[in-house]
Amino acid sequence: MQHKVIDLKDVVIRFAGDSGDGMQLTGSLFADMSAIYGNTLSTFPDFPAEIRAPHGTVGGVSGFQVHIGSGRLGTPGDYCDLLVAMNPAALKSNAKWCKPTAMILVDADAFDEKGMERAGFTTGDPFAELHVEDRAIIAAPISTLTKESLKDSGLDPKAVLKCKNMFTLGMACYIYNRSLEYIFKYLERKFSKKHPELVAPNCKVLSDGFNYAANIQAIANTYTIAPESGRKKGTYRNITGNQAVAWGLLAASEKSGLPLFCGSYPITPATAILEELAIHKSLGAKTMQAEDEIAGICTAIGAAYAGNLAVTTTSGPGLSLKSEAMGLAVMAELPLVIVDVQRGCPSTGLPTKTDQSDLQQALYGRNGECPMPVVAAHSPSHCFDAAFTAAKIALEHMTPVILLSEGFLGNGSEPWLIPSMADYPAIKPPFVSGQPEGGRFKPFEKDPETLVRRWAPAGTPGFEHRVGGLEKTPAGVLSNDPANHARMVADRAGKVARISRDIPRLELVCGPSEGGLLVVGWGGTYGHLLNAVEEAGGVSFAHFDFINPLPANTAEVFSHFERILVCELNSGQFAAYLRSELPQFDYRQFNKVQGQPFLVEELAAAINNLK
C-alpha cells in the first residue's frame, strides 16, 4: 500500500472515553501543540452531565473536540474526521458525529462482551449496529500495547493503564504529522517536581503510540494542516473563555488603578474564573471562596463600597440566589461585575452542558424596577474584551453589570493575540474630590448628563454617607415620598439607557446593508452564525455583544431588512426581548435547546428556508 501525505485546510478530531480516560487532557494537548505550530483552532470540551455515572456507560462519556485549520474557523466543527473512542460507550454516543469519510480509532481491548453490554449494544458488531461499518476503522489493542510498552517501568498496573491516553495521542500525532516535542516538554513540566518517575514512562508510551501507527498497514494516509498564513504579528497563546474573563478583569483593574476583589462560590462551569484570579495575587487580585452564592455577592458589594473593582462569578442557579443582593447593588448604585457562565436547564439540570437560557433572568430576574446593563461575550478570546468592557461600564456608570458567557465559551479555547495594555482606554470612575459642596455630601445626586452619582469609598474624609436597600432622596435621606420614588426609579433606568451613548454602534458583520433577510445572534453563537451566513450567501448578519441597552442605532439597522431571523440556544428569549423593545419589525426564530452548540449545517438550512 502506497502511503500518501495529504494537505488539508482543516480537520476535526473528537477524543472520547470514560471520565477517567484522560480525554480532556489528550484533546487539550493536541490543541495546544497545534496552536504553537501556527494553526487556527477552536475547541469544544463536552463533559458528562452525570457526576458519577457507572464506568463504561454512555452517561459517563467525556469528549473533547478540536478543530484545527490554516484559516479562520470560528467553530469546533459540526462533524469529525477522526473519532477516537476508548470504549464501546464512547463509540455509541459519538458515532453520530462522524463524517462519511471519517476514520474511527478504538481500543479493541475495551470491546469485550462486558463492555458492549454496559454500553447497551445488542449485537456483536457495534460498527454495523451504528451504521458506521463503511468508515475507516482502526481497532488497535491500545490497553495491551500500553501494558507491553511500560512492563519494565516500575509503575503499578493501574498507573500503567492511565497512560493509554498518551499512546492514543501518539497515534493521532502520527496521523496528522504533529511533532511530539511540545508534549515531551509538557510532561517534563507537569511531573518533574512532584512525580519525576512519571516523565519517562509517559514519554515512552507516547513515542510507542506514534511508532505503532507508523508501522501498521491500517493507516493508508496521513495528513498535514499548514500554519495560518497572513496572521497578524504578535505573541499568541491558546486561551479558554474562563481564563480570558479573569485576565480581562485584571486588565480593567490595571487601567482603573483599583484593586480587584472576587467573592464567589464554586459552581460549574464558572469555577475556573475564581481559580484563575486566585493565582494572580501579585497583580493585586484578592479572592474569597465564600460559603454560598449569597455570601459571594455580598462580600463583593462590600468590596465595591470600599473602593474596589468588585466581581462575583456564577452560573444560572447561582444567579438566582444572587438576585436579592443584585437589587441591593442597584439601589446602592455601586459598581459590580456579575459573571454568569450559562449552562442548561433550570435547577441543577445539565451542569456541564452549554445554553443561552439565562437571558431573561439577567434582564428581569429581580424584584422591583431594577434595570442592569447586560453584556455578552461571543468567543473564548472575546471574553477578555467583554470582561474589560463590563468592568469599565460598571466603574464609570456606578452600576452592577451582568456579563453573560456560556459553558461552550468558558471551557472552549482558541488562539488569542496577547494585546498591549497601551491599546486599551483608561477607566475613570467618578470619584469625589475636594470637599462636599455646602458642607454635606449628597451621595445620590446625579450628573445631569449621565445620571451617574459620584463614588465616595468608605472612609473618605468629609464624605460619610449611608447606603442600603431602602429608597432615599438624592441627599441620601430615607424617603417614602411617592414623587421621590418615581424620580429615583426613572433616574436608575435612565442611567442604564444612557450607556448606549458609550457603547459601539451596531454594524453588520457581513452581507449587504439592506435586503430581505437579516440574521441576528448574540453570545457564543457568533462563529457558527458567521460560517452559516457565508455558506448560505445572499443574506446579512448582525451580532449583539450589548443586550441592555441595545446599541443606539439598532432600529435603524433593522429598518433596512424585510425579515429578521433570531438564532439562539434557548426557546426564543432574545427574540421576545427584541419584540418588546422594537415591535415594529418582523421577527422569525430558529432555536435549539439540546445542551449543545448550533451546527453550521442546521443554521444554513434554516437561513436558506427564509431567503
Side-chain angles (χ1 to χ4, degrees), residues 244-261 277 304 307-312 334-339 373-376 382-404 424-431 452 455 499 502-503 545-546:
V245 165
W247 292 7
L249 294 169
L250 289 167
S253 172
E254 177 183 328
K255 299 300 284 192
S256 65
L258 300 180
L260 173 65
F261 176 88
L277 288 173
N308 290 258
L309 167 53
V311 178
T312 188
L334 287 169
L336 174 67
V337 178
I338 302 112
V339 183
V374 178
V375 178
H382 179 250
C383 285
F384 180 91
D385 287 336
F388 183 91
T389 301
K392 189 174 191 295
I393 292 172
L395 291 170
E396 294 186 343
H397 293 268
M398 293 297 289
T399 179
V401 176
I402 294 179
L403 169 59
L404 292 177
Y424 282 75
I427 297 176
K428 300 177 181 178
F431 285 120
V452 175
W455 193 5
I499 292 171
D502 293 341
I503 63 177
D545 298 333
F546 298 94

Side-chain angles (χ1 to χ4, degrees), residues 495-553:
K495 176 176 67 173
V496 173
R498 294 185 189 194
I499 292 171
S500 64
R501 302 172 181 177
D502 293 341
I503 63 177
R505 291 169 62 83
L506 180 64
E507 295 184 1
L508 297 180
V509 179
C510 64
S513 59
E514 58 183 26
L517 181 64
L518 174 65
V519 178
V520 163
W522 68 276
T525 60
Y526 175 85
H528 299 81
L529 284 169
L530 177 57
N531 286 2
V533 167
E534 291 177 339
E535 182 176 315
V539 298
S540 302
F541 172 41
H543 201 79
F544 285 82
D545 298 333
F546 298 94
I547 309 295
N548 189 34
L550 292 168
N553 66 324

Side-chain angles (χ1 to χ4, degrees), residues 18 26 81 175 187 193 231 245 258 284 328 335 354 356 359 362 380 390 433 451 493 516 526 528 581:
D18 260 318
T26 305
D81 298 281
I175 294 170
L187 294 170
K193 290 185 179 180
R231 173 182 285 189
V245 165
L258 300 180
L328 173 60
T354 196
Q356 291 186 311
L359 179 60
S433 60
L451 298 180
Y526 175 85
H528 299 81
E581 295 293 307

